Amino acid sequence: MPANTDTASVAVADEEMAATRSDELNETDFEADARTPRVCVYKFTDSDPIILDEKDEVNERAVLLKGTKWANGKTLKVFFMNGSPYLRNKVITYARRWANHANLHFVVTNKKAESDIRAGFKINGDKGSWSYFGKDADRYRKGKQTMNFGWFNRKTEDSELIRTTIHEFGHSIGLAHEHLSPVNTINWDKPKVYDYYMGPPNNWTREKVNEQVLNKYKPRDVRNTKYDPLSIMHYPVDPSLTTDGQAVGVNWTLSDKDKTFIRRIYPN
């Protein structure tokens, strides 16, 4: 007798959900979450480039990875793999701040198969926050998780929910990390940067520090103009990590340049 495909589908779903922690278990370690470094981990891919016309000037600041742009006007369907209604509502509400300035729309779907973005909260105990870039969510991770919020719980301050949600959804529409802009003006003190990120709580390898912090994008790989230290896509920079004491604070929301740039990339 042929295998019951419905039963097989249920088994896959059960296995997937077994790999997630319930909201209750996720929220038993508030203090540990409070010590989690509030920077997301960059997901590298080999996206095919989109070559913008020379006349398609972007006169403001930000970094957009080529090859990750969604179709203009697209409605992006977001599927939540887990998470309380409280956290889900917060995330989709703050994600839509991009839609105030770009010709894109975000809606929640209960059908994973039709989703464009698949977000989870601390899936498999992952306390990092990250997202795949734009269309990479389909190209590389079809049907799998494409975004993670690793330090959100019911005690997370609204300002942090806003900051991290907007940042990760910036990645989901194609934006890269601003501190890796090919025209950034950060004079890193590399030995101190390695010491900081290779130590606890990050415990990154030297290679990962290079990927996440030090290695600028090559101009041919991104569309960018001027460097914007106020961008929501920028890591905080402590003055102790630069040779000239330059610092970048925690950016809590979209900068004016973020808004102008994304409006130019996804115009009405």
Side-chain angles (χ1 to χ4, degrees):
M1 187 171 74
N4 187 315
T5 54
D6 290 339
T7 301
S9 298
V10 170
V12 170
D14 287 346
E15 180 181 359
E16 191 171 74
M17 291 310 298
T20 71
R21 302 177 71 195
S22 69
D23 290 341
E24 291 73 21
L25 288 174
N26 274 348
E27 297 181 6
T28 59
D29 49 3
F30 294 113
E31 296 304 319
D33 286 347
R35 294 192 296 271
T36 302
R38 298 299 199 262
V39 293
C40 83
V41 177
Y42 185 100
K43 294 288 185 181
F44 284 90
T45 64
D46 58 352
S47 300
D48 297 329
I50 289 177
I51 306 300
L52 300 182
D53 293 336
E54 288 300 316
K55 65 181 181 180
D56 191 14
E57 288 288 338
V58 178
N59 295 317
E60 301 300 342
R61 307 173 184 180
V63 177
L64 177 85
L65 280 187
K66 292 179 180 177
T68 59
K69 183 179 181 293
W70 296 99
N72 197 47
K74 183 173 176 61
T75 295
L76 294 167
K77 297 179 180 179
V78 181
F79 175 81
F80 287 102
M81 300 178 70
N82 69 339
S84 65
Y86 170 81
L87 288 178
R88 296 182 189 203
N89 288 336
K90 287 286 187 179
V91 165
I92 196 64
T93 296
Y94 298 139
R96 286 172 175 153
R97 292 197 177 185
W98 283 111
N100 292 334
H101 309 283
N103 190 12
L104 292 171
H105 312 280
F106 297 100
V107 298
V108 175
T109 179
N110 293 322
K111 297 178 179 179
K112 184 179 180 182
E114 71 176 18
S115 63
D116 301 296
I117 298 168
R118 291 162 290 283
F121 300 90
K122 203 180 300 183
I123 297 289
N124 292 324
D126 183 351
K127 292 188 177 183
S129 288
W130 51 263
S131 173
Y132 276 81
F133 289 98
K135 291 175 65 178
D136 285 351
D138 278 339
R139 187 179 298 125
Y140 294 97
R141 304 283 289 176
K142 187 62 178 176
K144 303 294 184 180
Q145 181 189 11
T146 66
M147 182 182 292
N148 192 66
F149 295 102
W151 54 71
F152 283 4
N153 58 51
R154 288 185 181 89
K155 290 188 177 180
T156 303
E157 293 186 2
D158 227 41
S159 58
E160 180 61 24
L161 294 173
I162 293 169
R163 182 186 76 90
T164 302
T165 296
I166 296 175
H167 182 102
E168 299 309 338
F169 273 84
H171 287 321
S172 79
I173 59 176
L175 291 180
H177 279 142
E178 184 68 18
H179 60 277
L180 297 181
S181 166
V183 293
N184 84 58
T185 60
I186 305 170
N187 295 310
W188 293 110
D189 189 327
K190 291 185 178 181
K192 291 182 180 178
V193 172
Y194 288 127
D195 285 345
Y196 177 79
Y197 284 103
M198 291 174 71
N202 298 284
N203 299 311
W204 289 351
T205 64
R206 187 180 182 89
E207 180 182 14
K208 194 165 188 176
V209 177
N210 288 334
E211 289 179 345
Q212 305 292 329
V213 183
L214 297 175
N215 289 350
K216 295 181 181 181
Y217 300 121
K218 296 177 181 178
R220 67 174 181 267
D221 293 332
V222 296
R223 180 64 170 175
N224 74 283
T225 53
K226 297 178 181 179
Y227 164 61
D228 181 14
L230 299 179
S231 173
I232 191 65
M233 306 309 296
H234 204 300
Y235 271 15
V237 177
D238 189 275
S240 67
L241 300 181
T242 60
T243 59
D244 56 2
Q246 179 183 356
V248 175
V250 178
N251 296 331
W252 298 103
T253 192
L254 292 165
S255 72
D256 289 342
K257 306 305 181 184
D258 287 332
K259 296 173 185 177
T260 302
F261 182 82
I262 204 64
R263 187 181 297 120
R264 192 71 181 89
I265 296 298
Y266 294 101
N268 288 310

